[in-house]
Amino acid sequence: MVQRVAIIGAGVSGLASIKCCLDEGLEPTCFERSDDIGGLWKFTECAEEGRASIYRSVFTNSCKEMMCFPDFPFPDDFPNYMHNSKLQEYIRMYAKHFALLKYIKFKTMVSSIKKRPDFPVTGQWDVITKRDGKEESAVFDAVMVCSGHHVYPNFPVDCFPGLKKFKGSYFHSREYKEPEKFKGKRVLVIGLGNSGSDIAVELSHTASQVYLSSRSGSWVMSRVWDKGYPWDMLIVTRFESFLSNFLPTSVSDWLYVRRMNTWFKHENYGLMPLNRANRKEPVFNDDLPSRITCGTVVMKPNVKEFTETSAIFQDGTVQENIDFVIFATGYSYSYPFMADNAIIKCRDNEVTLYKGILPPRLEKPTLAVIGLIQSLGAIIPTSDLQARWAIRVFKGLYKLPPVNDMMEDIDEKMGKKLKWFGQSNTIQTDYISYMDELASAIGVKPSFPLLFLTDPRLALEVYFGPCSPYQFRLTGPGKWDGARNAILTQWDRTLKATRTRVVHDSQKHFPFLNLFKILALPLLLAVFLMFN
């Protein structure tokens, strides 16, 4: 029987895991190498070894209603998208509300996790930690790895000939903190992800010129979507997911490209992705198109090589007198505390996890990786559901299929990822499909035929409205009594954050969407009954 659980890291995934352990009657011990909770969202003045690092100006890309812990909504007056310090405040509120801090050992680094000699029988682990120069060892029945995937930088210096003779400064974006020292300088940012675009836009206000180099381009989205509502509350819905899966691929791809070009035509800004229909995670930046059109950010293709003072690009153009090069080239996945690295990277040195959580070839399923995933959905509700699933596996409440079946499931999903995201080994996934898969296994996925019949108002909001985290606390193990009300009032909290000056709307709106929902209800009910 699993009782004592070691949790590595006290970020949002670690905190969710502590609470889920407590909810299931287990005894968690969380090891955190720093002196505070928050993980990635805990800003520090300098990048620290072995910890995630963010720049001072980081804001969230998911809105508060879509990124909260599913049984702990944000306060009404919190902004929809928030600065890292505001999110850290919420994380502390969560930990205090559920009394999680007493289960965390701060300033304690996990140096080794290895199977005990009797692991095939007991499934137990030896966990070795270091604190104040002293080493301790303890035995745990299960381990939850919550160390994140923004710690070890992918720094491909060997892919850029001439970089070593470049006389300017170059570094990875994890070292970047604020723009002051770049005033009047010419800066090249390599990598068109969220960090690369954020840094380029911020530097464009102080540097003399910023160049942003992208190998393959990317779709760029604004946090502010149709009629000023948060993008994810309009796009991350079950109805949208149904359409993208139900429609022919050619139609779905056409609609996707059309939607992505609604804000501005990406081709005109040098941002168009090489594969337009690829569902690779877009970049979220409200200001990048404006900075490009003002000339303070100049888009460039991939760098071919460097000279002592310049960068030569793949299209043959040259930018002289570059002072700084910032590599916003992402991160690699590493688990230096695992005595046997092949447990997690069990095939071709790639992370291979069943449901994105569990190493499939363990003799006993007592190790889970929480939070190693990316999607259009937020990490907090995803980690929460992952932790709930993993703990039910630990306790034997969910029976795993044979190893061959788990590997086949992994291979099948890798094929889908290749089609949708352009890479088979990406940790990216479709948010709603993934959440529903875990929720079904736990027994917490809403039953839509039943919901339409018993609570049509809630059913309409759940299906046509945002797929908010509260949906996965409506029923089953871990049910939260406040979930229904949280769903029905989520738009009120969203508007309260922006309607700080009340203006009465004089226009009369015909409730077309509400009428459409009511008329569509019988059709959807028939579809659910047909396929379930």
Side-chain angles (χ1 to χ4, degrees), residues 309-457:
T309 60
S310 63
I312 303 172
F313 297 92
Q314 292 287 359
D315 60 359
T317 58
V318 180
Q319 295 300 335
E320 302 282 357
N321 302 319
I322 300 295
D323 298 301
F324 290 94
V325 179
I326 303 175
F327 284 83
T329 44
Y331 294 83
S332 58
Y333 321 128
S334 182
Y335 303 93
F337 46 78
M338 293 299 300
D340 182 0
N341 199 41
I343 291 175
I344 295 177
K345 298 184 177 183
C346 69
R347 185 171 62 180
D348 301 328
N349 200 36
E350 292 181 354
V351 173
T352 310
L353 300 170
Y354 180 61
K355 307 290 188 189
I357 302 171
L358 198 77
R361 291 175 174 162
L362 279 177
E363 302 95 322
K364 294 285 184 180
T366 56
L367 184 138
V369 181
I370 307 299
L372 184 62
I373 199 161
Q374 283 181 321
S375 72
L376 279 182
I379 191 60
I380 290 178
T382 307
S383 293
D384 181 83
L385 202 56
Q386 285 185 323
R388 293 164 70 188
W389 181 87
I391 289 168
R392 293 187 75 76
V393 172
F394 292 165
K395 295 183 69 175
L397 299 174
Y398 176 77
K399 186 177 180 181
L400 294 172
V403 173
N404 287 341
D405 291 353
M406 288 192 281
M407 295 303 295
E408 287 178 7
D409 182 78
I410 292 170
D411 289 339
E412 180 184 346
K413 287 183 171 61
M414 289 178 73
K416 290 180 179 178
K417 289 179 179 183
L418 181 62
K419 174 185 175 183
W420 280 86
F421 308 116
Q423 291 178 286
S424 60
N425 61 345
T426 178
I427 61 172
Q428 203 167 341
T429 191
D430 178 73
Y431 177 69
I432 293 179
S433 298
Y434 180 71
M435 295 290 276
D436 278 351
E437 184 179 351
L438 294 181
S440 296
I442 300 170
V444 299
K445 180 184 175 183
S447 171
F448 289 102
L450 181 62
L451 209 54
F452 278 125
L453 292 171
T454 60
D455 195 341
R457 181 189 174 198

Side-chain angles (χ1 to χ4, degrees), residues 63-76:
C63 74
K64 66 179 182 180
E65 292 302 314
M66 300 296 281
M67 72 172 297
C68 64
F69 290 100
D71 52 358
F72 193 72
F74 280 87
D76 290 6

Side-chain angles (χ1 to χ4, degrees), residues 192-239:
L192 179 59
N194 286 314
S195 295
S197 59
D198 276 356
I199 292 170
V201 165
E202 183 168 72
L203 290 179
S204 70
H205 295 280
T206 54
S208 65
Q209 186 62 63
V210 177
Y211 303 95
L212 180 54
S213 167
S214 174
R215 180 175 54 188
S216 56
S218 178
W219 295 114
V220 178
M221 290 176 62
S222 172
R223 297 175 178 88
V224 183
W225 207 242
D226 293 348
K227 297 182 179 178
Y229 292 113
W231 75 268
D232 37 354
M233 293 188 76
L234 299 179
I235 290 178
V236 185
T237 75
R238 294 183 178 279
F239 182 63

Side-chain angles (χ1 to χ4, degrees), residues 265-276:
K265 191 174 182 180
H266 283 63
E267 185 179 358
N268 293 346
Y269 287 73
L271 293 165
M272 179 68 78
L274 293 178
N275 184 344
R276 300 183 181 194

Side-chain angles (χ1 to χ4, degrees), residues 64-65 75-82 230 490-501:
K64 66 179 182 180
E65 292 302 314
D76 290 6
D77 59 346
F78 271 45
N80 288 319
Y81 298 99
M82 59 197 75
Q490 57 196 358
W491 286 107
D492 296 334
R493 288 188 297 277
T494 300
L495 293 175
K496 185 172 182 178
T498 55
R499 284 185 175 177
T500 53
R501 172 180 172 263

